[in-house]
Amino acid sequence: MTFSLIFRRIGLAAVLASSAALLAGCDEGGVSSGMEGSVRASHPLSPDMLALMEKKGVTKESPVLIRTYKKEAEFEIWKMKADGQYTLLRTYPMCRWSGQLGPKVKEGDRQLPEGFYKITPGQMNPNSAYYLSFNVGYPNAYDRAWNRTGGSIMVHGACSSAGCFSMTDKQIDEIYAVARDGFASGQQAIQMQSYPFHMTPENMAKYREDPNIAFWKQLKEGSDHFEVTKQDVQVGVCARHYVFNAVPASGGHFDPVAACPAMKHDGGIDADVAAKAGKDDAKVAELVAGGLAAVRTLYSDGGQNPEFAKANLEDVSRPEAIAAGPTDWLVEPKGKKVSPVVKVAAARTAKSTMASKVKTPDAKGGDLAEGDADSKTGSVKKADPKGASDHGATPRPQAMATPAKAAPAQVAAGEAIRP
């Protein structure tokens, strides 16, 4: 791919991103008729799904839990067994998601939120213009503590995303029915755990220099609690930080922005979570010592599960962005010796960039991925050399980034999040 083509793609992506900023969440552009929506929302579960539930040892009445992963574009439905633990019922390939890895921080940024959310019966929307939909509950207490804006983040059909979890109509028909039957049997809220990727040691090692890594470590802690217990994770927020399976020792509720109080924990759960975290941390250290490169993965505008690559779907949004695919950028921490291979790659990139009048990461650690593409010129602005977060938290580590591929992707839409 020529650099001039890359230049045009970055400029186009910036213009489209600016236009998207005018939208609020998933703008449904109207609703379906009440009768049509009522029929869709009342579709019974298929014999195939009922047979799967029987095989998994669950029923249509048992509680539901949802887990999602952007990078892998997967949407998981879990159901509770008779012993009170959840079992994975079905993994759906996600048809479309928009934005970048990282949390949603403001209205119009096209980001899918990351964190722990609550879906209630009142958030179900049978009259959606996108076949069927339900609201995930963004912003939650953590988001509000960080003054994040935006709303109307949905799971819906139509395979079109401007900040929503987009499935096919057939998928949302089934997902909606599973959730509906859970609510009809008395479940008051469905926990939705939204992750940037599967929280494995391999991914934590690979993205160790990403500016969102401190936030992602919080999400991994919550994920570890679920992996250990296979139960709904009790989620609290204090000091703008997630707290899992704990309550204030004095009773009452957590204040999302105040200092964390003394807390009561389940010692057995905490010990098991600590053991899992320690094992995972050791694996991360092993991978880093073995030479696993630290990267940033950037997208033109989100992606979709590979299962849909040849599906030729009519409703898919921005197919050109999907076709461009993600780009991994090698990242080296400031002060760390850069390997000769990376130096050569950086030199080649700098030469090509200068010829096309696009600025590259500077020697002080300005990271291309934290800049913004200029919608008029297509140039890329360098990041704030101080690396400070807009939230006033600990400055992010400065880094030098070089592309692992020849083509740079659009800059990340999210901001660095600190604990």
Side-chain angles (χ1 to χ4, degrees), residues 332-393:
E332 294 287 346
K334 182 181 179 181
K336 181 177 179 180
K337 186 176 181 180
V338 181
S339 71
V341 173
V342 173
K343 286 183 178 180
V344 170
R348 289 176 177 172
T349 301
K351 183 177 180 180
S352 297
T353 301
M354 186 176 296
S356 298
K357 298 182 181 180
V358 177
K359 299 178 182 179
T360 56
D362 61 21
K364 295 181 180 180
D367 188 345
L368 172 67
E370 288 299 307
D372 293 305
D374 187 290
S375 61
K376 295 182 179 179
T377 66
S379 64
V380 178
K381 301 175 183 177
K382 293 184 292 183
D384 177 359
K386 296 180 181 179
S389 166
D390 288 343
H391 298 304

Side-chain angles (χ1 to χ4, degrees), residues 215-231:
F215 172 65
W216 289 342
K217 286 180 178 179
Q218 289 184 54
L219 300 189
K220 183 182 183 299
E221 181 183 352
S223 176
D224 287 350
H225 273 266
F226 178 77
E227 294 292 343
V228 165
T229 67
K230 290 297 191 294
Q231 296 177 340

Side-chain angles (χ1 to χ4, degrees), residues 233-264:
V233 180
Q234 186 174 355
V235 180
V237 179
C238 56
R240 297 182 177 179
H241 196 283
Y242 275 117
V243 176
F244 302 104
N245 288 335
V247 295
S250 59
H253 303 281
F254 289 113
D255 184 329
V257 297
C260 291
M263 292 179 276
K264 290 182 181 179

Side-chain angles (χ1 to χ4, degrees), residues 194-212:
S194 178
Y195 299 107
F197 39 68
H198 285 278
M199 310 307 282
T200 62
E202 290 75 15
N203 278 331
M204 298 306 288
K206 183 178 180 180
Y207 295 105
R208 64 187 180 273
E209 295 297 335
D210 191 289
N212 290 299

